[in-house]
Amino acid sequence: MNKILIAGNWKMNKTVPESLELIHALKEKLRSPCAAEVVLIPPFTSLHSAAEDLRGSDIQLGAQNLSHLGSGAVTGEVSGTMLISAGCKYVLVGHSERRTLFHESDALIHQKLKTALSEGLHPIFCVGESGEERDAGKTKDIINNQLTVGLNGLTLMEMRKITIAYEPVWAIGTGKNAKPEQAQEIHEVIRSRLASLYDPELAQGTRIIYGGSVNPENSSSLLSQSDVDGALVGGASLDADSFYAIINAIK
Ligand code: 13P
């Protein structure tokens, strides 16, 4: 059984003072040890102060993006090394908002995964189909292709640092979460793809988390599915009470 991971992707929300206010509220609530690994993923601008504030706590930090290039003349980008120095352990790669708004291809996402790993980060690799793709019966093909291209050539050792997030695009920010059995079905598809690309042991040990309209009401039924190893939470992670309720759903 993999340790459950509950990650809060704050997206482009929260100034530095607002970030610290949310972190203080969460730290108050998370005083006693909890069964999940909790990861906060604030915007870049809040990372360093968040890391200072989280020093000594069990809460981990992640970033929402990184450059596929190393350091140097790359105006406007942020490298993995910078993220490590700001206190990050995790980084999101392949989020659907990056794929659609910033035209990130599977090939670029693969580059980002390679760069993140070589710089010492633990990527949370997001995959998911759009509503049209689901309606056309293409969900499994889309997911399998995203996995095959994204993970192309990664070693077993690199794979042990990767978490996969299944985030159906139609469920993100819509209030229309995947039904628990729909999430379970695709998590099984992902696990069997990992088994065929690598081996069953690696597949079993890889955390596969679900994202898309997770909230305090639906989290326990989603998290009770056998192949759901956690949640990637957007909107509901912006409020300490609702994020804490999701973390508590696994007790
Ligand atoms: P919501 O929880 O707001 O649907 O967002 C999900 C998401 O995109 C997390 O990365």
Side-chain angles (χ1 to χ4, degrees):
M1 169 102 184
N2 295 314
K3 183 164 186 174
I4 296 287
L5 186 150
I6 307 288
N9 173 11
W10 297 1
K11 308 193 179 184
M12 198 165 71
N13 292 292
K14 305 283 180 195
T15 61
V16 176
E18 288 166 352
S19 299
L20 294 180
E21 197 181 321
L22 177 51
I23 288 170
H24 291 165
L26 278 170
K27 278 202 317 194
E28 270 306 304
K29 292 178 183 297
L30 286 167
R31 273 171 183 278
S32 44
C34 87
E37 179 176 3
V38 177
V39 181
L40 302 182
I41 311 181
F44 288 137
T45 42
S46 294
L47 285 174
H48 182 63
S49 348
E52 297 280 302
D53 227 68
L54 290 172
R55 205 183 291 259
S57 92
D58 289 333
I59 303 174
Q60 302 288 343
L61 205 56
Q64 297 174 19
N65 185 28
L66 87 163
S67 171
H68 63 293
L69 302 168
S71 63
V74 196
T75 302
E77 290 291 280
V78 175
S79 74
T81 307
M82 291 168 183
L83 296 178
I84 296 264
S85 81
C88 290
K89 174 177 179 187
Y90 291 96
V91 62
L92 294 180
V93 176
H95 192 280
S96 74
E97 285 149 21
R98 302 290 320 167
R99 292 177 189 262
T100 53
L101 298 171
F102 301 97
H103 313 292
E104 290 194 6
S105 65
D106 288 323
L108 177 69
I109 288 161
H110 170 66
Q111 273 306 115
K112 289 193 175 201
L113 287 173
K114 291 285 298 173
T115 306
L117 289 162
S118 73
E119 287 171 334
L121 288 159
H122 289 63
I124 300 175
F125 172 32
C126 306
V127 296
E129 82 288 3
S130 67
E132 299 79 65
E133 289 163 343
R134 174 163 280 264
D135 292 345
K138 293 184 182 157
T139 300
K140 293 178 186 173
D141 288 345
I142 295 288
I143 302 295
N144 280 330
N145 188 57
Q146 289 173 346
L147 290 171
T148 306
V149 180
L151 301 175
N152 180 29
L154 297 191
T155 65
L156 261 179
M157 228 163 66
E158 290 177 318
M159 282 304 297
R160 290 199 185 98
K161 291 189 167 170
I162 289 195
T163 298
I164 310 279
Y166 171 52
E167 293 210 308
V169 181
W170 49 270
I172 295 178
T174 57
K176 207 175 96 184
N177 61 286
K179 293 193 190 89
E181 55 278 14
Q182 287 176 315
Q184 170 61 23
E185 182 194 11
I186 303 305
H187 283 225
E188 267 179 50
V189 168
I190 295 171
R191 223 179 275 291
S192 74
R193 189 58 163 195
L194 294 176
S196 65
L197 290 172
Y198 294 90
D199 61 55
E201 196 188 334
L202 183 278
Q204 214 43 53
T206 300
R207 281 193 292 204
I208 305 173
I209 65 176
Y210 168 80
S213 295
V214 177
N215 61 37
E217 287 72 47
N218 61 28
S219 48
S220 80
S221 58
L222 284 160
L223 290 166
S224 66
Q225 300 299 307
S226 58
D227 283 293
V228 176
D229 300 318
L232 180 53
V233 186
S237 72
L238 296 173
D239 173 79
D241 289 332
S242 59
F243 192 53
Y244 181 64
I246 292 168
I247 295 165
N248 253 346
I250 63 161
K251 277 188 180 160

